[in-house]
Amino acid sequence: MGGYWFCDTLQGEFRIAPTRWAGQDRVLLSYEGEALGCYDTAEVALDRLLQGETCPPSCGLDLRRLPVPARLSDWAYAARG
């Protein structure tokens, strides 16, 4: 699969990465390596994050308070070699 998008904040890193789930290509949204949800597209994953509609991380942090770019094009992209 291809690369992934990531966003570093002072409280930790978010990633949106391609994955395979239930036989379908999806994307996994994670925070500090902890899965927050699986979505159809990277854009949907980001939208759910911004709206606070993901599973909460086990640390209890309110993710809506973090300075996360609202556009996927503003996230860094890491290509997998």
Side-chain angles (χ1 to χ4, degrees):
M1 296 201 149
Y4 60 91
W5 293 268
F6 67 96
C7 171
D8 283 319
T9 71
L10 293 176
Q11 288 79 20
E13 181 189 77
F14 289 95
R15 282 191 186 191
I16 298 175
T19 191
R20 196 93 177 128
W21 186 73
Q24 296 182 357
D25 290 333
R26 307 284 303 264
V27 294
L28 178 68
L29 171 65
S30 62
Y31 172 72
E32 286 296 296
E34 183 177 351
L36 302 179
C38 194
Y39 304 95
D40 289 333
T41 67
E43 291 80 7
V44 170
L46 178 56
D47 184 57
R48 295 295 187 273
L49 173 62
L50 295 172
Q51 299 302 318
E53 298 172 353
T54 67
C55 294
S58 60
C59 65
L61 183 64
D62 183 354
L63 301 177
R64 292 173 297 173
R65 296 184 177 267
L66 298 180
V68 177
R71 295 183 321 200
L72 199 57
S73 61
D74 293 333
W75 285 47
Y77 184 78
R80 291 195 176 148

